[in-house]
Amino acid sequence: MSKVLIIGAGGVGGVCVHKCAQVPEVFSEIVLASRTIEKCDAIATSVKERTGRDIVTDTVDADNVPELVELINKHKPVLVINLALPYQDLTIMDACLETGVHYLDTANYEPIDEAKFEYKWQWEYQERFKEKGLMALLGSGFDPGVTNVFCAHAMKHQFDEIHQLDIIDCNAGDHGHPFATNFNPEINIREVTANGRYWEHGEWIETDPLSFSMNYDFPEGIGPKKCFLMYHEELESLVKHLKGLKRARFWMTFSDQYLNHLKVLENVGMTRIDTVKYNGQDIVPLKFLKEVLPEPAGLGERTKGRTCIGCRIKGIKDGEPKDYYIYNICDHEEAFKEVASQAVSYTTGVPAMIGAMLMLTGKWTGEGVFNMEELDPDPFMEKLNIHGLPWTEITFKN
């Protein structure tokens, strides 16, 4: 029985609060805080209606360490679940260190003025968390998160050596808008417009944004979709921790409609992250664009279809080559029925809850900073099947 503080009241935050509320034997008290109290209160109302549980809400500026420290000291949680923006990871980690509280997030830190996904800033906290006897769990979402655990599971149970890894993320859902993003528009567009990057033969190879693609035939009736090579943060940690890896890539599907809108927005400067002058004020075009696009947390009611995210892995088992695929399929409409969210937020919010559960129950323990694949995958894989993200594995015949 533990108290948790969840920071961030977007789509993922809403899912995580609902899922924590479903497990009162672990999450005895839940506090939700963000810059906007109205968002927190709306989530608390939904949780009360669905589970009968009361959620405490509060406000905080997650860019401000003293405010974060004051918030943590006020509520005295055992663990902070950071579902705010990636720019705010370090301030929240600093506040956890100052107050002696464990930390969990779903996405790695990136500077606000540069779309750069890199773990170095958070890995540098290793000794500080270790000295305090605290645990920081990085990337407990789906990708990163579940995909890392899928790899650890494959390494433990399916392979002697992993040589090739392709993480493939498909959203086959339709929200009916001409253009919208399924998670924070600012983070989504920064990610998609950045250069691609993959690991091969011991080095990183950089590509122009969305310049490499492949067709992949997704299972269970989803069918063939065009996937684009991108860089995603879990590649950096998996390359470090999966020994013998020769190639690692990340792929994501996008509709032609999405890509056409994005290209126009990019061409007219609306995806820029530097400041421009407008009516004598400094504004960031991408931040303005975020304000006029549909709110991702509000897409759930109109989104239909499914997501399919998984790992295609090739390597050696008992001296023989092996081709293996492990994946999850999540239905947008089923997610909305359960927690009033579309599946993209659901697939991130559920693993955040599971990671927190394993930390609070002592199944995952440690001092320092950890990526998901460094921990025993078995309890996490078990909880995925119980809490809404069941997985399937296939071995292809050579």
Side-chain angles (χ1 to χ4, degrees):
M1 299 273 280
S2 302
K3 179 189 281 192
V4 293
L5 168 62
I6 298 170
I7 300 177
V12 175
V15 173
C16 188
V17 175
H18 279 87
K19 297 301 285 190
C20 289
Q22 292 174 10
V23 194
E25 64 273 21
V26 175
F27 303 95
S28 56
E29 296 178 74
I30 304 165
V31 181
L32 175 63
S34 79
R35 195 186 301 266
T36 310
I37 191 69
E38 291 80 10
K39 289 184 177 182
C40 298
D41 290 342
I43 292 169
T45 298
S46 177
V47 170
K48 180 70 171 179
E49 291 170 351
R50 292 167 186 268
T51 70
R53 293 194 62 185
D54 291 311
I55 305 299
V56 175
T57 61
D58 211 330
T59 57
V60 70
D61 176 0
D63 294 315
N64 187 310
V65 175
E67 269 196 42
L68 288 162
V69 168
E70 182 180 354
L71 177 76
I72 295 169
N73 283 333
K74 174 182 176 181
H75 294 286
K76 295 182 170 50
V78 176
L79 170 69
V80 169
I81 302 175
N82 169 18
L83 304 177
L85 294 172
Y87 327 133
Q88 297 162 329
D89 287 359
L90 302 188
T91 54
I92 297 174
M93 291 179 81
D94 286 337
C96 286
L97 283 170
E98 189 169 334
T99 54
V101 173
H102 299 294
Y103 170 89
L104 177 150
D105 67 31
T106 61
N108 75 350
Y109 172 77
E110 62 174 290
I112 195 167
D113 57 353
E114 184 181 9
K116 187 178 180 66
F117 307 99
E118 196 170 354
Y119 273 118
K120 71 172 185 179
W121 292 284
Q122 290 180 279
W123 283 344
E124 287 174 354
Y125 278 71
Q126 170 70 15
E127 290 306 316
R128 279 175 278 175
F129 270 82
K130 203 169 183 178
E131 287 168 6
K132 290 273 191 174
L134 297 173
M135 181 176 182
L137 182 61
L138 307 183
S140 190
F142 205 108
D143 43 349
V146 175
T147 51
N148 302 63
V149 177
F150 280 173
C151 290
H153 167 82
M155 193 71 254
K156 182 174 180 178
H157 297 289
Q158 298 291 338
F159 288 89
D160 298 320
E161 299 176 21
I162 289 178
H163 294 166
Q164 295 181 16
L165 166 65
D166 285 290
I167 298 170
I168 310 172
D169 183 326
C170 169
N171 179 15
D174 182 9
H175 46 57
H177 288 288
F179 183 79
T181 63
N182 290 291
F183 60 95
N184 185 293
E186 188 178 347
I187 304 304
N188 176 264
I189 291 172
R190 283 168 65 112
E191 181 179 286
V192 175
T193 55
N195 284 347
R197 200 166 172 238
Y198 65 98
W199 174 267
E200 190 163 32
H201 302 312
E203 64 179 358
W204 290 105
I205 299 169
E206 197 158 293
T207 66
D208 291 333
L210 307 181
S211 58
F212 282 80
S213 64
M214 70 168 182
N215 290 313
Y216 194 81
D217 192 2
F218 290 91
E220 302 186 32
I222 292 176
K225 300 286 182 184
K226 191 172 185 178
C227 310
F228 293 85
L229 187 144
M230 298 173 55
Y231 179 64
H232 231 236
E233 62 235 56
E234 65 262 44
L235 294 182
E236 183 182 15
S237 68
L238 288 168
V239 164
K240 179 180 177 182
H241 296 127
L242 291 181
K243 303 305 179 187
L245 198 60
K246 295 179 172 61
R247 187 181 73 193
R249 303 179 297 188
F250 181 94
W251 307 84
M252 187 173 282
T253 61
F254 300 100
S255 68
D256 289 340
Q257 181 169 282
Y258 176 94
L259 293 174
N260 289 338
H261 276 81
L262 185 63
K263 178 56 69 176
V264 171
L265 291 168
E266 196 171 8
N267 285 344
V268 299
M270 286 305 300
T271 63
R272 289 171 54 176
I273 61 175
D274 57 322
T275 57
V276 299
K277 285 286 187 186
Y278 176 73
N279 281 351
Q281 295 185 343
D282 287 332
I283 67 164
V284 175
L286 182 54
K287 287 183 177 291
F288 175 79
L289 177 62
K290 173 188 172 184
E291 295 304 311
V292 298
L293 288 176
E295 169 63 45
L299 295 176
E301 192 167 9
R302 58 187 294 157
T303 305
K304 304 181 187 306
R306 294 173 291 167
T307 63
C308 178
I309 312 173
C311 299
R312 185 73 179 262
I313 302 172
K314 296 180 181 181
I316 300 294
K317 178 67 173 176
D318 298 328
E320 297 293 328
K322 184 171 185 175
D323 185 354
Y324 165 88
Y325 182 39
I326 181 168
Y327 64 90
N328 161 263
I329 287 180
C330 188
D331 187 283
H332 285 287
E333 291 176 274
E334 291 301 316
F336 184 77
K337 285 178 190 174
E338 183 189 350
V339 296
S341 165
Q342 35 82 3
V344 174
S345 294
Y346 189 90
T347 55
T348 304
V350 173
M353 181 277 288
I354 293 175
M357 175 193 294
L358 296 184
M359 290 175 69
L360 294 172
T361 57
K363 296 291 179 67
W364 278 3
T365 61
E367 297 177 355
V369 175
F370 296 86
N371 292 98
M372 301 284 281
E373 68 273 14
E374 295 180 83
L375 301 156
D376 181 12
D378 293 352
F380 195 98
M381 295 291 285
E382 177 191 5
K383 297 300 183 186
L384 286 172
N385 283 330
I386 294 170
H387 293 285
L389 293 177
W391 44 274
T392 301
E393 49 189 349
I394 301 169
T395 297
F396 298 97
K397 293 182 179 179
N398 292 309

